Amino acid sequence: MSSTPSTPSTPSTPRARAWITAGLLSLALCGCSSLTGGTGGSAGGDNGGSSTTSSAADGPEVPATSLDLERVCTDGLGYSGMPAYDRTKKTVHPAMLMNNPGDTWSQFEPPAGDFPKGWILGYSDKPADAELVVCVERTKASPTGKKCDMESDDGKPFTVSTYNTSYRLTVVEARTGEELYKHTGEAKSDECPMYIFSSKGEDKDKYYNEVRPKDYRKRVQPFIAP
C-alpha cells in the first residue's frame, strides 16, 4: 500500500519532506471508564497470509494471524489455545493491539517508546503468544469546521477538513474473550496537522484526530503490567 505524505502550504518557509506521526498534535481526551471483570483478580499488520486457525483435530484453537483477533474485539470470542491470563501474577502479560478506524480491524504496533518493551507484541511476533487484546475503535467522527490549506508532495495545493473523533478502548482476555476493562473518550484538536498520511483509496481531503497509544498507556498498564 503506497502512502503519500502532504504538508501544510507555507510559502514563507522551506518545505520539508519527512514522515511525522500525528502525535505532534495536541489532543484533549475525556471520557468514562468501567472495570468489568477479570481472571485472578489506520497502518496495521496481519502477520502474513490469510486468516486461518487450527482445527479441532489439531488441538486447541489459536489465531494464525493478527486478523483472527478481530472476533475477540467484536464478539468476545477467544481462543482456547492461547496463554491463560492471571492478573495476580506480577509480571508482564503481553498484549496485541488491534485498531479499527471505522471500517476494518487490523494490528497496530505503537511507535517505539510509547510502551515499555514487551508490553505490546509487534508485527513480527506471534499473535498466539498474546494473553490480552487491546481493542481501540473509532465510534464517531464530527467535523470541527476547520479548513486547512495543504500542499502535496508534488507541490499541488489542496484543502483538508478536520474531524474530532470518539473512541472505545477495551482490554480483553485473548483466551476467554472476557472483557476486563472499557473506556470511552474523545480525541480533539483545533490545530491543522503538520503532515497527513493518505493511502490509496482514502479521502485525502479529510483528516481525523485520533487517540494516540501513549494517551491510554496508563489505562492498560494495570492489566499488562500489574
Side-chain angles (χ1 to χ4, degrees):
M1 180 176 66
S2 61
S3 299
T4 304
S6 303
T7 63
S9 179
T10 53
S12 60
T13 59
R15 300 186 182 96
R17 303 299 184 199
W19 289 65
I20 299 180
T21 65
L24 289 173
L25 291 176
S26 174
L27 300 181
L29 304 174
C30 61
C32 56
S33 308
S34 63
L35 186 62
T36 58
T39 301
S42 16
D46 61 6
N47 282 284
S50 60
S51 177
T52 57
T53 57
S54 301
S55 66
D58 296 330
E61 190 179 26
V62 296
T65 77
S66 62
L67 296 179
D68 292 322
L69 296 175
E70 176 183 2
R71 79 181 202 189
V72 180
C73 292
T74 59
D75 301 314
L77 297 175
Y79 289 86
S80 60
M82 298 187 76
Y85 174 71
D86 185 352
R87 192 178 176 187
T88 63
K89 294 183 178 179
K90 304 303 180 182
T91 186
V92 172
H93 303 278
M96 184 71 75
L97 177 57
M98 298 292 290
N99 182 65
N100 183 353
D103 49 4
T104 187
W105 288 92
S106 62
Q107 181 188 359
F108 180 70
E109 184 174 349
D114 275 8
F115 288 90
K117 187 176 181 180
W119 282 27
I120 304 295
L121 297 178
Y123 298 132
S124 62
D125 295 317
K126 295 180 180 179
D129 291 338
E131 293 184 27
L132 298 168
V133 182
V134 175
C135 310
V136 182
E137 181 179 14
R138 184 203 299 167
T139 57
K140 183 181 178 182
S142 304
T144 66
K146 191 175 186 66
K147 303 285 187 178
C148 301
D149 294 325
M150 308 292 290
E151 187 177 283
S152 66
D153 228 17
D154 56 6
K156 295 180 180 179
F158 64 97
T159 302
V160 167
S161 299
T162 65
Y163 291 75
N164 291 329
T165 63
S166 299
Y167 67 92
R168 178 170 50 246
L169 166 72
T170 56
V171 179
V172 186
E173 281 192 24
R175 185 173 187 175
T176 66
E178 180 180 359
E179 184 180 283
L180 306 177
Y181 175 82
K182 179 171 67 176
H183 169 77
T184 57
E186 297 179 330
K188 296 181 177 182
S189 176
D190 58 4
E191 301 289 335
C192 283
M194 293 185 65
Y195 285 73
I196 65 172
F197 297 93
S198 59
S199 300
K200 187 176 181 180
E202 290 183 346
D203 188 350
K204 71 174 184 178
D205 298 327
K206 295 180 179 179
Y207 178 82
Y208 298 91
N209 295 307
E210 303 281 11
V211 63
R212 302 166 300 181
K214 65 181 181 180
D215 292 321
Y216 50 79
R217 181 172 54 216
K218 288 186 178 180
R219 299 187 182 280
V220 302
Q221 179 178 357
F223 305 93
I224 299 177

